[in-house]
């Protein structure tokens, strides 16, 4: 008997996992997920976007617009950060699968924690400064990044309509 030939790839497996863990997010507008995997394709950490551990979902606003302190941006931890914070082993030389391309703050966290490759699904904020900065950081640090779109996403990706991102003023 021959082994099954139509198994999914590691990229497909981990991106599906990132999409599933994103479903844990209580954010009404954006559900992001991330999976850290080591060289042997062993999961090291999982994360999704949400308030820090111990902070109830109703404690702060989920608004995207308004003054900085009146938006979610002051309080939410991103999926990529949480995947590193939740890691059960070293993230040195690991790769991370993300449903969204990481912002500049997450890029710094990933670089500092030894992540060597970023595999992302959506790049909807490509031209926003925070994400341009991410690419610059990854390039300067020698961190590889590439897009992989899961088979699960093919039918559910948003249209190519532009999305407005408002950077909070600090």
């Amino acid at each position: 008997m021959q082994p099954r030939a139509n198994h999914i790839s590691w990229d497909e497996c981990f991106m599906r996992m990132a999409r599933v863990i994103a479903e844990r997010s209580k954010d009404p507008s954006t559900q992001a997920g991330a999976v850290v995997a080591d060289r042997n394709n062993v999961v090291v950490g999982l994360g999704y976007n949400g308030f820090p551990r111990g902070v109830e979902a109703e404690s702060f606003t989920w608004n995207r617009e308004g003054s900085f302190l009146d938006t979610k941006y002051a309080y939410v931890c991103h999926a990529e950060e949480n995947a590193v914070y939740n890691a059960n082993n070293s993230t040195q030389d690991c790769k991370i699968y993300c449903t969204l391309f990481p912002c500049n703050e997450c890029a710094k966290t990933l670089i500092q924690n030894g992540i060597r490759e970023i595999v992302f699904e959506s790049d909807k904020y490509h031209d926003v400064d925070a994400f341009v900065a991410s690419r610059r950081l990854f390039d300067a640090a020698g961190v590889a990044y590439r897009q992989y779109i899961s088979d699960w996403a093919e039918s559910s990706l948003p249209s190519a309509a532009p999305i407005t991102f408002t950077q909070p003023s600090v």
Side-chain angles (χ1 to χ4, degrees):
M1 181 181 285
Q2 294 296 316
R4 188 169 69 95
N6 62 341
H7 64 278
I8 62 174
S9 68
W10 285 115
D11 282 349
E12 184 67 23
C13 178
F14 292 136
M15 196 59 77
R16 286 184 187 186
M17 290 174 71
R19 292 173 65 85
V20 168
I21 199 65
E23 294 294 321
R24 289 283 309 138
S25 176
K26 294 168 185 68
D27 187 329
S29 59
T30 304
Q31 298 80 47
V35 176
V36 177
D38 70 14
R39 289 186 205 162
N40 295 315
N41 295 312
V42 174
V43 173
V44 172
L46 300 170
Y48 56 89
N49 60 313
F51 294 145
R53 191 174 285 121
V55 177
E56 296 298 322
E58 298 78 22
S59 297
F60 298 105
T61 182
W62 289 100
N63 290 337
R64 295 178 66 170
E65 295 180 8
S67 67
F68 182 65
L69 295 176
D70 294 328
T71 66
K72 66 180 182 176
Y73 302 113
Y75 312 105
V76 168
C77 292
H78 288 180
E80 301 89 343
E81 292 175 297
N82 276 328
V84 169
Y85 297 151
N86 293 332
N88 60 15
N89 211 330
S90 171
T91 58
Q92 191 69 37
D93 296 323
C94 288
K95 57 186 163 185
I96 189 167
Y97 288 81
C98 317
T99 56
L100 293 173
F101 190 84
C103 73
N104 65 308
E105 293 300 320
C106 288
K108 291 183 273 188
T109 296
L110 298 173
I111 292 166
Q112 288 294 88
N113 283 278
I115 301 291
R116 303 306 304 155
E117 183 178 8
I118 314 300
V119 184
F120 62 94
E121 191 166 65
S122 173
D123 195 17
K124 67 182 180 179
Y125 301 121
H126 182 85
D127 295 323
V128 174
D129 287 350
F131 299 87
V132 172
S134 295
R135 284 178 174 74
R136 290 179 181 177
L137 284 164
F138 290 145
D139 290 343
V143 175
Y145 51 90
R146 63 186 169 87
Q147 188 170 36
Y148 177 81
I149 299 174
S150 166
D151 292 343
W152 279 10
E154 293 294 330
S155 62
S156 64
L157 282 177
S159 67
I163 296 171
T164 304
F165 179 82
T166 306
Q167 286 188 334
S169 57
V170 179

